[in-house]
Amino acid sequence: MTSITSKEIRLKNRPQGLPAKSDFELAEAALPAIKDGEILVQNMYMSVDPYMRGRMYDRKSYVPPFQIGKPLEGGCVGQVIESKNEGFNVGDYVLSMLGWRQYFVSGGDGLTKVDPSLAPVQAYLGALGMTGMTAYVGLLHIGELKEGQTVFVSAAAGAVGSMVCQIARLKGCYVVGSAGSDEKVAWLVEEAGIDAAFNYQTTDNVIAEVGRHFPKGIDVYFENVGGVHLEAALEHMNPGGHIVMCGMISMYNDVNPVPGPVRMPYIIQKKLTMRGFIVMDHFDKLGPFFGDMGKWVAEGKIKWRETIIDGIENAPEAFIGLFKGENLGKMIVKL
């Protein structure tokens, strides 16, 4: 095959506060014909994730920052359309971190084949991918969840939160989530099957609302938001409880540092465990995760929703939409 032109999204500026469309640019790159040992992949779906905001800062972190003028990188699932590599056949579906572009050439490193017969291929960006793995590891291993405990999940209708809620429910726990719209609250209760949910956007007092749902206190809090949600959890945590620090999306675009929770002394008084984690440090749990999640999906015990945006040119708006609560479940761009 001759060379192919691939559209890609590049970082144009380092955002100040909430990212704007002008911080990104749509560009084209010419890809050469593949060589022996290489494959050409056409991306089908790409993941849009809040953690990517941290990579837009020029600072040291657990992953290198995005570079100005270079294409962004993120999870994606695509199909092999040409192969000179014995390990991959034309038609194979592969998972990679080479999203935010239509096509890429690879020698096969960092690619994982996925089975389209188990679930739609985009599910490998959500329930069967790093999203589901984050929920699984965070809840069961960082949160040390035990059957029958009480669990509070912030951003519960988001990609990770919705998986946390359902895994906790499958473990026989009492589960309450917060979400940013009545539609999301209804989905959590009616489809995801959790015990209760509330709309924090229309709640006058989040701390009191959390207390109303947890008369016996909280054993495990799964943190995705920060701010008043963390204050509420600290107020109502049971002694010896676990706080799983997965994300704090309410703070990702803050220009100036925000004062910490005033209830931090409760960590000492209640002998709480508060621990952050990065899912890529726990790949030793991939086997149990795929075994459990694959079984639950096959049995219809895990539900998920996707917010799918068409066109790579609309990826920046999809990313910005994450911080405005425009997604129900996983935010995905269809290429």
Side-chain angles (χ1 to χ4, degrees):
M1 184 179 291
T2 57
S3 62
I4 195 167
T5 299
S6 175
K7 292 181 179 179
E8 60 187 29
I9 299 293
R10 298 174 182 173
L11 186 65
K12 187 176 182 181
N13 307 297
R14 299 203 180 277
Q16 298 295 314
L18 180 68
K21 187 177 178 181
S22 58
D23 292 320
F24 307 87
E25 62 179 345
L26 177 66
E28 293 186 348
L31 301 183
I34 64 171
K35 303 174 183 177
D36 288 341
E38 293 183 333
I39 61 174
L40 176 64
V41 177
Q42 181 176 9
N43 281 331
M44 302 171 63
Y45 297 92
M46 54 175 259
S47 180
V48 183
D49 299 291
Y51 86 90
M52 298 178 71
R53 180 64 181 89
R55 296 189 68 183
M56 294 176 188
Y57 294 104
D58 187 12
R59 64 188 183 195
K60 186 177 181 180
S61 185
Y62 62 93
V63 285
F66 294 130
Q67 297 300 305
I68 301 295
K70 299 292 185 180
L72 295 152
E73 297 175 350
C76 60
V77 63
Q79 190 169 33
V80 178
I81 60 173
E82 187 180 0
S83 177
K84 293 185 179 180
N85 184 314
E86 293 182 354
F88 297 87
N89 296 317
V90 171
D92 285 347
Y93 293 93
V94 294
L95 188 67
S96 79
M97 287 299 293
L98 293 171
W100 296 72
R101 67 202 77 194
Q102 291 178 310
Y103 300 87
F104 66 85
V105 173
S106 171
D109 292 340
L111 305 187
T112 303
K113 293 183 184 180
V114 298
D115 182 0
S117 68
L118 181 60
V121 291
Q122 69 268 25
Y124 289 93
L125 300 175
L128 291 167
M130 286 302 98
T131 296
M133 177 74 171
T134 299
Y136 183 89
V137 168
L139 184 64
L140 302 183
H141 298 281
I142 306 301
E144 298 181 15
L145 185 75
K146 296 178 178 61
E147 187 172 344
Q149 288 188 317
T150 58
V151 179
F152 176 42
V153 184
S154 57
V160 172
S162 60
M163 294 297 105
V164 173
C165 285
Q166 293 178 80
I167 294 172
R169 177 178 56 81
L170 287 168
K171 296 296 183 179
C173 295
Y174 171 79
V175 185
V176 176
S178 70
S181 73
D182 291 342
E183 177 191 8
K184 294 176 181 180
V185 166
W187 183 83
L188 284 166
V189 175
E190 296 169 9
E191 293 192 45
I194 69 174
D195 295 279
F198 65 90
N199 183 348
Y200 69 87
Q201 298 278 21
T202 58
T203 299
D204 293 333
N205 188 324
V206 171
I207 296 174
E209 184 70 11
V210 171
R212 186 174 73 82
H213 288 289
F214 288 96
K216 296 182 180 180
I218 302 168
D219 295 317
V220 177
Y221 171 49
F222 200 100
E223 171 68 291
N224 292 308
V225 175
V228 70
H229 282 81
L230 181 54
E231 292 280 10
L234 287 167
E235 178 69 28
H236 299 291
M237 291 298 296
N238 285 328
H242 287 72
I243 298 176
V244 181
M245 302 299 293
C246 178
M248 303 184 81
I249 194 171
S250 70
M251 304 172 66
Y252 289 171
N253 296 306
D254 289 341
V255 176
N256 299 309
V258 175
V262 300
R263 291 169 173 77
M264 291 295 278
Y266 285 168
I267 296 174
I268 302 168
Q269 298 167 20
K270 298 183 179 185
K271 296 170 286 186
L272 304 175
T273 298
M274 185 176 184
R275 182 181 170 191
F277 75 104
I278 304 298
V279 70
M280 65 181 63
D281 295 332
H282 300 273
F283 283 169
D284 60 311
K285 306 295 192 304
L286 275 172
F289 163 69
F290 282 127
D292 287 339
M293 187 62 79
K295 178 175 179 290
W296 293 332
V297 168
E299 294 173 347
K301 293 180 178 178
I302 292 288
K303 310 291 184 183
W304 65 82
R305 287 284 293 272
E306 299 161 341
T307 300
I308 299 180
I309 306 298
D310 285 323
I312 191 171
E313 67 277 5
N314 294 315
E317 289 94 328
F319 178 72
I320 295 165
L322 287 174
F323 302 98
K324 298 179 179 180
E326 294 177 359
N327 61 302
L328 173 51
K330 183 71 178 177
M331 181 74 88
I332 295 173
V333 173
K334 182 178 180 180
L335 283 76

